[in-house]
Amino acid sequence: MKPFWRNVSIAIWLPVQATLAGCTGTDDCSQPLSDNLLENPRFELNEQGTPDGWYSTQHAGTRAYRVTAKDGVLTIGKFDEQAWFYFAQKVKIPDRDSQHLRFSAEIKLDMAVDPLHAFEQGGGLSLKIRGTSNNRSNRLLLSSLLDHEPRLGKTDWVPVAVTVVVPPGSETVTAGFLHQANGTLEVRNPGLHWVKESCGESAAHQ
């Protein structure tokens, strides 16, 4: 199985207020109201050896992460010094009957703190919503980064999820997996669904 890679220029994480709830363990606290909005949730590779629907980017510099997909499992491993790697897909927000959007997956961690950067440490879910605000388009309206546990350490497969209240004016959601520490992050069975209600306690993140 050939690894795949797309190198993109430097990016900056912006702090944006998000109302969300984090889910861990086996809690079945949100009723799906839609099919999975994600394309190719098994990360199946096309003839070019890349997964349709997904893209990737890293912090800066030369390639520092190795990415493979096999039997529905995405593996992101770090082999050189860079602060973060992001693997995601962008989805147009369709008409909906709910304000709550839930992003979930099973993750398997073998990750330790990277002392060379000051970003939030860990690996797991990232969700960003863009839309129109104050008559300006393509604004970042919501950002949820690693708002779940576990996100560090060595684990077996564990389900994690975040449920967000979608802001007015939202147009697109980018759902993906952030590697922001040392070690390896594995992902399987990702899902993005409209749900009946949020899961757990809500919190405002500035």
Side-chain angles (χ1 to χ4, degrees), residues 56-133:
S56 63
T57 180
Q58 74 168 33
H59 177 240
T62 58
R63 176 179 174 179
Y65 297 83
R66 183 173 293 106
V67 186
T68 60
K70 184 177 182 181
D71 297 330
V73 175
L74 175 76
T75 302
I76 304 171
K78 182 176 180 179
F79 63 85
D80 205 347
E81 290 301 333
Q82 285 297 336
W84 54 257
F85 179 89
Y86 186 46
F87 184 94
Q89 71 172 260
K90 185 176 181 180
V91 178
K92 184 177 180 180
I93 294 180
D95 294 335
R96 59 193 186 274
D97 296 322
S98 172
Q99 294 182 325
H100 298 97
L101 193 63
R102 186 174 191 253
F103 180 36
S104 62
E106 296 175 63
I107 62 173
K108 186 176 181 180
L109 304 175
D110 188 0
M111 304 190 73
V113 169
D114 181 352
L116 299 182
H117 72 73
F119 294 107
E120 191 77 25
Q121 298 280 344
L125 307 183
S126 169
L127 191 71
K128 294 182 284 184
I129 295 179
R130 289 185 175 272
T132 300
S133 177

Coordinates of all heavy atoms in Angstrom, one line a residue, residues 56-133:
S56 N -4.7 16.8 2.7 CA -3.8 16.9 3.8 C -2.9 18.1 3.8 O -2.6 18.6 2.7 CB -3.0 15.6 4.0 OG -2.1 15.5 2.9
T57 N -2.5 18.6 4.9 CA -1.5 19.7 5.0 C -0.7 19.6 6.3 O -1.2 18.9 7.3 CB -2.3 21.1 5.0 OG1 -1.3 22.1 5.1 CG2 -3.3 21.2 6.2
Q58 N 0.5 20.1 6.3 CA 1.3 20.1 7.5 C 1.7 21.6 7.8 O 1.5 22.5 7.0 CB 2.5 19.2 7.4 CG 3.6 19.7 6.6 CD 4.9 18.9 6.7 OE1 4.9 17.7 7.0 NE2 6.0 19.6 6.6
H59 N 2.3 21.7 9.0 CA 2.7 23.0 9.5 C 3.6 23.8 8.6 O 3.3 25.0 8.2 CB 3.4 22.9 10.9 CG 3.9 24.1 11.5 ND1 5.2 24.4 11.8 CD2 3.2 25.3 11.9 CE1 5.3 25.6 12.3 NE2 4.1 26.1 12.4
A60 N 4.7 23.3 8.1 CA 5.6 24.0 7.2 C 6.7 23.0 6.9 O 6.8 21.9 7.4 CB 6.2 25.2 7.9
G61 N 7.6 23.5 6.0 CA 8.8 22.8 5.7 C 8.7 21.5 4.9 O 7.7 21.2 4.3
T62 N 9.7 20.6 5.0 CA 9.8 19.4 4.3 C 8.8 18.4 5.0 O 8.5 18.5 6.1 CB 11.2 18.8 4.3 OG1 11.7 18.6 5.6 CG2 12.1 19.8 3.5
R63 N 8.5 17.3 4.2 CA 7.6 16.3 4.7 C 8.1 15.7 6.0 O 9.2 15.3 6.1 CB 7.5 15.2 3.6 CG 6.7 14.0 4.0 CD 6.6 13.0 2.9 NE 5.9 11.8 3.3 CZ 5.7 10.8 2.5 NH1 6.1 10.8 1.3 NH2 5.0 9.7 3.0
A64 N 7.2 15.6 7.0 CA 7.5 15.1 8.3 C 6.6 14.0 8.8 O 6.8 13.5 9.9 CB 7.6 16.3 9.3
Y65 N 5.6 13.7 8.0 CA 4.6 12.7 8.4 C 4.4 11.6 7.3 O 4.5 11.9 6.1 CB 3.2 13.4 8.7 CG 3.3 14.3 9.8 CD1 3.7 15.6 9.6 CD2 2.9 14.0 11.1 CE1 3.8 16.6 10.7 CE2 2.9 14.9 12.2 CZ 3.4 16.2 11.9 OH 3.4 17.1 13.0
R66 N 4.1 10.4 7.7 CA 3.9 9.3 6.8 C 2.4 8.9 7.0 O 2.0 8.7 8.1 CB 4.8 8.2 7.1 CG 4.6 7.0 6.1 CD 5.7 5.9 6.3 NE 7.0 6.4 6.0 CZ 8.0 6.7 6.9 NH1 7.7 6.6 8.2 NH2 9.2 7.1 6.5
V67 N 1.7 8.9 5.9 CA 0.2 8.6 5.9 C -0.1 7.4 5.1 O 0.3 7.4 3.9 CB -0.6 9.9 5.5 CG1 -2.1 9.6 5.7 CG2 -0.1 11.1 6.2
T68 N -0.8 6.5 5.6 CA -1.2 5.3 4.9 C -2.7 5.0 5.2 O -3.2 5.4 6.2 CB -0.4 4.1 5.2 OG1 -0.5 3.8 6.6 CG2 1.1 4.3 4.8
A69 N -3.3 4.3 4.3 CA -4.7 3.8 4.5 C -4.8 2.4 4.0 O -4.4 2.1 2.9 CB -5.7 4.7 3.7
K70 N -5.4 1.5 4.9 CA -5.5 0.1 4.6 C -6.7 -0.5 5.4 O -6.8 -0.2 6.6 CB -4.2 -0.6 4.9 CG -4.3 -2.1 4.5 CD -2.9 -2.8 4.7 CE -3.0 -4.2 4.3 NZ -1.7 -4.9 4.6
D71 N -7.6 -1.2 4.7 CA -8.7 -1.9 5.4 C -9.5 -0.9 6.2 O -10.0 -1.3 7.3 CB -8.2 -3.0 6.2 CG -7.5 -4.1 5.4 OD1 -7.8 -4.3 4.2 OD2 -6.5 -4.7 5.9
G72 N -9.7 0.3 5.7 CA -10.6 1.3 6.4 C -9.9 2.0 7.6 O -10.5 2.8 8.3
V73 N -8.6 1.8 7.7 CA -7.9 2.4 8.8 C -6.9 3.5 8.2 O -6.0 3.1 7.4 CB -7.1 1.4 9.7 CG1 -6.3 2.1 10.8 CG2 -8.1 0.5 10.4
L74 N -7.0 4.7 8.7 CA -6.0 5.8 8.4 C -4.9 5.8 9.4 O -5.3 5.9 10.6 CB -6.7 7.1 8.3 CG -5.9 8.3 8.0 CD1 -5.4 8.4 6.6 CD2 -6.6 9.6 8.4
T75 N -3.7 5.8 9.0 CA -2.6 5.9 10.0 C -1.7 7.1 9.6 O -1.2 7.3 8.5 CB -1.7 4.6 9.9 OG1 -2.5 3.5 10.2 CG2 -0.6 4.7 10.9
I76 N -1.5 8.0 10.6 CA -0.6 9.1 10.5 C 0.5 9.0 11.5 O 0.3 9.0 12.7 CB -1.4 10.4 10.8 CG1 -2.7 10.5 9.9 CG2 -0.5 11.7 10.6 CD1 -3.6 11.7 10.2
G77 N 1.7 8.9 11.0 CA 2.9 8.8 11.8 C 3.9 9.9 11.6 O 4.1 10.3 10.4
K78 N 4.5 10.4 12.6 CA 5.4 11.5 12.5 C 6.9 10.9 12.6 O 7.2 10.1 13.4 CB 5.2 12.4 13.7 CG 6.1 13.6 13.7 CD 5.8 14.5 14.9 CE 6.7 15.8 15.0 NZ 6.3 16.7 16.1
F79 N 7.7 11.4 11.6 CA 9.1 10.9 11.6 C 10.1 12.0 11.6 O 11.3 11.7 11.5 CB 9.3 9.9 10.4 CG 9.1 10.6 9.0 CD1 10.2 11.3 8.4 CD2 7.9 10.5 8.3 CE1 10.0 11.9 7.2 CE2 7.8 11.1 7.1 CZ 8.8 11.8 6.5
D80 N 9.7 13.3 11.6 CA 10.6 14.4 11.6 C 9.9 15.5 12.4 O 8.8 15.4 12.8 CB 10.9 14.8 10.2 CG 12.3 15.5 10.1 OD1 12.8 15.9 11.1 OD2 12.8 15.7 9.0
E81 N 10.7 16.6 12.5 CA 10.2 17.7 13.4 C 9.3 18.7 12.6 O 9.8 19.5 11.8 CB 11.4 18.4 14.1 CG 12.1 17.6 15.1 CD 11.2 17.2 16.2 OE1 10.2 17.9 16.5 OE2 11.5 16.1 16.8
Q82 N 8.0 18.6 12.8 CA 7.1 19.6 12.5 C 6.0 19.6 13.5 O 5.7 18.6 14.2 CB 6.5 19.4 11.1 CG 7.4 19.7 9.9 CD 7.8 21.2 9.8 OE1 7.1 22.0 10.3 NE2 8.9 21.4 9.2
A83 N 5.3 20.8 13.7 CA 4.4 20.9 14.8 C 3.1 20.1 14.6 O 2.5 19.5 15.6 CB 4.1 22.4 15.1
W84 N 2.5 20.2 13.4 CA 1.2 19.5 13.2 C 1.0 19.0 11.8 O 1.6 19.5 10.8 CB 0.0 20.4 13.7 CG 0.0 21.8 13.1 CD1 0.3 23.0 13.7 CD2 -0.5 22.1 11.8 NE1 0.1 24.0 12.8 CE2 -0.4 23.5 11.6 CE3 -1.0 21.4 10.7 CZ2 -0.8 24.3 10.5 CZ3 -1.4 22.1 9.5 CH2 -1.3 23.5 9.4
F85 N 0.0 18.1 11.7 CA -0.4 17.6 10.4 C -1.9 17.5 10.5 O -2.5 17.1 11.5 CB 0.2 16.2 10.1 CG -0.2 15.6 8.8 CD1 0.5 15.8 7.7 CD2 -1.4 14.7 8.8 CE1 0.1 15.2 6.5 CE2 -1.7 14.1 7.6 CZ -1.0 14.4 6.4
Y86 N -2.6 17.8 9.3 CA -4.0 17.8 9.3 C -4.5 17.1 8.1 O -4.1 17.3 6.9 CB -4.5 19.3 9.2 CG -6.0 19.6 9.3 CD1 -6.8 18.9 10.3 CD2 -6.6 20.5 8.5 CE1 -8.1 19.2 10.4 CE2 -7.9 20.8 8.6 CZ -8.7 20.1 9.5 OH -10.0 20.4 9.6
F87 N -5.5 16.1 8.3 CA -6.0 15.3 7.2 C -7.5 15.5 7.3 O -8.2 15.2 8.3 CB -5.7 13.9 7.4 CG -6.1 12.9 6.3 CD1 -5.3 12.6 5.3 CD2 -7.4 12.3 6.4 CE1 -5.7 11.7 4.3 CE2 -7.8 11.5 5.4 CZ -6.9 11.2 4.3
A88 N -8.2 16.0 6.2 CA -9.6 16.4 6.3 C -10.3 16.4 5.0 O -9.7 16.2 3.9 CB -9.6 17.9 6.9
Q89 N -11.6 16.7 5.1 CA -12.4 17.0 3.9 C -13.4 18.1 4.2 O -13.8 18.3 5.3 CB -13.1 15.7 3.4 CG -14.2 15.2 4.1 CD -14.9 14.1 3.4 OE1 -16.0 14.3 2.8 NE2 -14.4 12.8 3.4
K90 N -13.7 18.8 3.1 CA -14.6 20.0 3.2 C -16.0 19.6 2.7 O -16.1 19.0 1.6 CB -14.1 21.1 2.4 CG -14.8 22.4 2.5 CD -14.1 23.5 1.8 CE -14.8 24.8 1.8 NZ -14.1 25.9 1.1
V91 N -17.1 19.9 3.4 CA -18.4 19.5 3.1 C -19.3 20.7 3.0 O -19.3 21.5 4.0 CB -19.0 18.4 4.1 CG1 -20.4 18.1 3.7 CG2 -18.1 17.2 4.2
K92 N -20.1 20.8 2.0 CA -21.1 21.9 1.9 C -22.2 21.6 2.9 O -22.7 20.5 2.9 CB -21.6 22.1 0.5 CG -22.6 23.3 0.4 CD -23.0 23.4 -1.1 CE -24.0 24.6 -1.2 NZ -24.4 24.8 -2.6
I93 N -22.6 22.5 3.7 CA -23.6 22.3 4.7 C -25.0 22.3 4.0 O -25.4 23.3 3.4 CB -23.6 23.4 5.8 CG1 -22.3 23.3 6.6 CG2 -24.8 23.2 6.7 CD1 -22.2 24.3 7.7
P94 N -25.7 21.1 4.0 CA -27.0 21.0 3.3 C -28.1 21.6 4.2 O -27.9 22.0 5.3 CB -27.1 19.5 3.2 CG -26.4 19.0 4.4 CD -25.3 19.9 4.7
D95 N -29.3 21.7 3.6 CA -30.5 22.0 4.4 C -30.6 21.0 5.5 O -30.3 19.8 5.4 CB -31.7 22.0 3.5 CG -31.7 23.0 2.4 OD1 -31.0 24.1 2.6 OD2 -32.4 22.8 1.4
R96 N -31.1 21.5 6.6 CA -31.1 20.7 7.8 C -32.3 21.0 8.7 O -32.9 22.0 8.6 CB -29.8 20.9 8.6 CG -29.7 22.4 9.1 CD -28.3 22.6 9.6 NE -28.1 23.9 10.1 CZ -27.8 25.0 9.4 NH1 -27.6 24.9 8.1 NH2 -27.6 26.2 10.0
D97 N -32.6 20.0 9.5 CA -33.7 20.1 10.5 C -33.2 20.2 11.9 O -34.0 20.1 12.9 CB -34.7 18.9 10.4 CG -35.4 18.8 9.0 OD1 -35.7 19.9 8.5 OD2 -35.5 17.7 8.5
S98 N -31.9 20.4 12.1 CA -31.3 20.5 13.4 C -30.2 21.5 13.4 O -29.7 21.9 12.4 CB -30.7 19.1 13.7 OG -29.9 19.2 14.9
Q99 N -29.9 22.0 14.6 CA -28.8 22.9 14.8 C -27.5 22.2 15.2 O -26.5 22.8 15.3 CB -29.1 24.0 15.8 CG -30.3 24.9 15.5 CD -30.5 26.0 16.5 OE1 -30.4 25.7 17.7 NE2 -30.9 27.2 16.1
H100 N -27.6 20.9 15.5 CA -26.5 20.2 16.1 C -25.8 19.3 15.0 O -26.5 18.5 14.4 CB -26.9 19.4 17.3 CG -27.5 20.2 18.4 ND1 -28.8 20.4 18.6 CD2 -26.8 20.8 19.4 CE1 -29.0 21.2 19.6 NE2 -27.8 21.4 20.1
L101 N -24.5 19.4 14.9 CA -23.7 18.6 14.0 C -22.7 17.8 14.8 O -22.0 18.4 15.7 CB -23.0 19.5 13.0 CG -22.4 18.8 11.8 CD1 -23.4 18.1 10.9 CD2 -21.6 19.8 11.0
R102 N -22.7 16.5 14.6 CA -21.8 15.6 15.4 C -20.8 14.9 14.5 O -21.1 14.3 13.5 CB -22.6 14.5 16.1 CG -21.8 13.6 17.1 CD -22.8 12.7 17.8 NE -22.1 12.0 18.9 CZ -21.8 10.7 18.9 NH1 -22.0 10.0 17.9 NH2 -21.2 10.2 20.0
F103 N -19.5 15.1 14.9 CA -18.4 14.5 14.2 C -17.8 13.4 15.1 O -17.4 13.7 16.3 CB -17.3 15.6 13.9 CG -16.1 15.0 13.1 CD1 -16.2 14.0 12.2 CD2 -14.9 15.6 13.4 CE1 -15.1 13.6 11.5 CE2 -13.7 15.1 12.7 CZ -13.8 14.1 11.8
S104 N -17.7 12.2 14.6 CA -17.2 11.1 15.5 C -16.3 10.2 14.7 O -16.2 10.2 13.5 CB -18.4 10.3 15.9 OG -19.1 9.7 14.8
A105 N -15.5 9.4 15.4 CA -14.6 8.4 14.9 C -14.1 7.5 16.0 O -14.3 7.8 17.2 CB -13.4 9.1 14.2
E106 N -13.5 6.4 15.6 CA -12.7 5.6 16.5 C -11.3 6.0 16.3 O -10.8 6.0 15.2 CB -13.0 4.2 16.3 CG -14.4 3.7 16.6 CD -14.6 2.2 16.2 OE1 -13.9 1.4 16.8 OE2 -15.4 2.0 15.3
I107 N -10.5 6.2 17.4 CA -9.1 6.5 17.3 C -8.3 5.5 18.1 O -8.8 5.0 19.1 CB -8.8 8.0 17.7 CG1 -9.1 8.2 19.1 CG2 -9.5 8.9 16.8 CD1 -8.7 9.6 19.6
K108 N -7.0 5.4 17.7 CA -6.1 4.5 18.4 C -4.8 5.4 18.5 O -4.2 5.8 17.5 CB -5.8 3.2 17.7 CG -5.0 2.2 18.5 CD -4.9 0.9 17.7 CE -4.0 -0.1 18.5 NZ -3.9 -1.4 17.7
L109 N -4.3 5.6 19.7 CA -3.2 6.5 20.0 C -2.0 5.8 20.4 O -2.0 4.8 21.2 CB -3.6 7.6 21.0 CG -4.8 8.4 20.8 CD1 -5.1 9.3 22.0 CD2 -4.7 9.3 19.5
D110 N -0.8 6.3 20.0 CA 0.5 6.0 20.5 C 1.2 7.3 20.5 O 2.1 7.5 19.6 CB 1.2 4.9 19.8 CG 2.5 4.4 20.5 OD1 2.8 5.0 21.6 OD2 3.1 3.5 20.0
M111 N 0.9 8.3 21.3 CA 1.3 9.7 21.2 C 1.8 10.2 22.5 O 1.3 9.9 23.6 CB 0.2 10.5 20.7 CG -0.4 10.1 19.4 SD -1.6 11.3 18.6 CE -0.4 12.5 18.0
A112 N 2.9 11.0 22.4 CA 3.5 11.7 23.5 C 3.7 13.1 23.2 O 3.7 13.6 22.1 CB 4.9 11.0 23.9
V113 N 3.9 13.9 24.3 CA 4.0 15.4 24.2 C 5.3 15.7 23.3 O 6.4 15.1 23.5 CB 4.1 16.0 25.5 CG1 4.6 17.5 25.4 CG2 2.8 16.0 26.3
D114 N 5.2 16.7 22.4 CA 6.3 17.2 21.7 C 6.7 18.5 22.3 O 6.0 19.5 22.3 CB 5.9 17.5 20.2 CG 7.0 18.0 19.4 OD1 8.1 18.3 19.9 OD2 6.8 18.1 18.1
P115 N 7.9 18.5 23.0 CA 8.4 19.6 23.7 C 8.8 20.8 22.9 O 9.1 21.9 23.4 CB 9.5 19.1 24.6 CG 10.1 18.0 23.7 CD 8.9 17.4 23.1
L116 N 8.8 20.6 21.5 CA 9.4 21.6 20.6 C 8.3 22.6 20.1 O 8.7 23.5 19.3 CB 10.1 21.0 19.5 CG 11.3 20.1 19.9 CD1 12.0 19.5 18.6 CD2 12.3 20.9 20.7
H117 N 7.1 22.5 20.5 CA 6.1 23.4 20.1 C 5.1 23.7 21.2 O 5.0 23.0 22.1 CB 5.4 23.0 18.8 CG 4.4 21.9 19.0 ND1 3.2 22.0 19.6 CD2 4.4 20.6 18.6 CE1 2.5 20.9 19.6 NE2 3.3 20.0 19.0
A118 N 4.4 24.9 21.1 CA 3.5 25.3 22.1 C 2.0 25.2 21.8 O 1.2 25.7 22.5 CB 3.8 26.8 22.4
F119 N 1.7 24.5 20.6 CA 0.4 24.2 20.3 C -0.3 23.2 21.3 O 0.4 22.5 22.0 CB 0.3 23.7 18.9 CG 0.7 24.6 17.8 CD1 1.9 24.4 17.1 CD2 -0.1 25.7 17.4 CE1 2.3 25.3 16.1 CE2 0.3 26.6 16.4 CZ 1.5 26.4 15.8
E120 N -1.6 23.1 21.2 CA -2.3 22.1 22.0 C -1.8 20.7 21.6 O -1.7 20.4 20.5 CB -3.8 22.2 21.8 CG -4.6 21.4 22.7 CD -4.8 22.0 24.1 OE1 -4.7 23.3 24.2 OE2 -5.0 21.3 25.0
Q121 N -1.4 19.9 22.6 CA -0.8 18.6 22.4 C -1.9 17.5 22.2 O -2.9 17.5 22.9 CB 0.1 18.2 23.5 CG 1.3 19.2 23.7 CD 2.4 19.0 22.8 OE1 2.5 17.9 22.1 NE2 3.3 20.0 22.7
G122 N -1.6 16.6 21.2 CA -2.5 15.5 21.1 C -2.8 15.1 19.7 O -2.2 15.7 18.7
G123 N -3.7 14.2 19.5 CA -4.2 13.7 18.2 C -5.7 13.4 18.3 O -6.2 12.9 19.3
G124 N -6.4 13.7 17.2 CA -7.8 13.4 17.2 C -8.6 14.3 16.3 O -8.1 14.7 15.2
L125 N -9.8 14.7 16.7 CA -10.8 15.3 15.9 C -10.6 16.8 15.7 O -10.3 17.5 16.7 CB -12.2 15.1 16.4 CG -12.6 13.6 16.6 CD1 -14.0 13.6 17.1 CD2 -12.4 12.8 15.4
S126 N -10.8 17.3 14.5 CA -10.8 18.8 14.3 C -12.1 19.1 13.4 O -12.4 18.4 12.5 CB -9.6 19.2 13.5 OG -9.7 20.5 13.1
L127 N -12.8 20.2 13.8 CA -14.0 20.6 13.1 C -14.0 22.1 12.9 O -13.8 22.8 13.9 CB -15.2 20.1 13.8 CG -16.6 20.2 13.1 CD1 -16.6 19.2 12.0 CD2 -17.7 20.0 14.1
K128 N -14.1 22.6 11.7 CA -14.1 24.0 11.4 C -15.3 24.3 10.5 O -15.5 23.6 9.5 CB -12.8 24.5 10.8 CG -11.6 24.3 11.7 CD -10.3 24.8 11.1 CE -9.8 23.9 10.0 NZ -8.5 24.3 9.5
I129 N -16.0 25.4 10.8 CA -17.1 25.8 10.1 C -16.9 27.2 9.6 O -16.5 28.1 10.3 CB -18.4 25.8 10.9 CG1 -18.8 24.3 11.3 CG2 -19.6 26.4 10.1 CD1 -20.0 24.1 12.1
R130 N -17.1 27.4 8.3 CA -17.0 28.7 7.6 C -18.3 29.2 7.0 O -19.2 28.4 6.7 CB -15.9 28.7 6.6 CG -14.5 28.6 7.1 CD -13.5 28.7 6.0 NE -12.1 28.7 6.6 CZ -11.5 29.8 6.9 NH1 -12.1 31.0 6.8 NH2 -10.3 29.8 7.5
G131 N -18.5 30.5 6.9 CA -19.7 31.0 6.3 C -19.7 32.5 6.3 O -18.6 33.2 6.3
T132 N -20.9 33.1 6.2 CA -21.0 34.6 6.1 C -21.3 35.2 7.4 O -22.2 34.8 8.1 CB -22.1 34.9 5.1 OG1 -21.8 34.4 3.8 CG2 -22.3 36.4 4.9
S133 N -20.5 36.3 7.7 CA -20.7 37.0 9.0 C -20.5 38.5 8.7 O -19.4 38.8 8.1 CB -19.8 36.5 10.1 OG -20.0 37.3 11.2

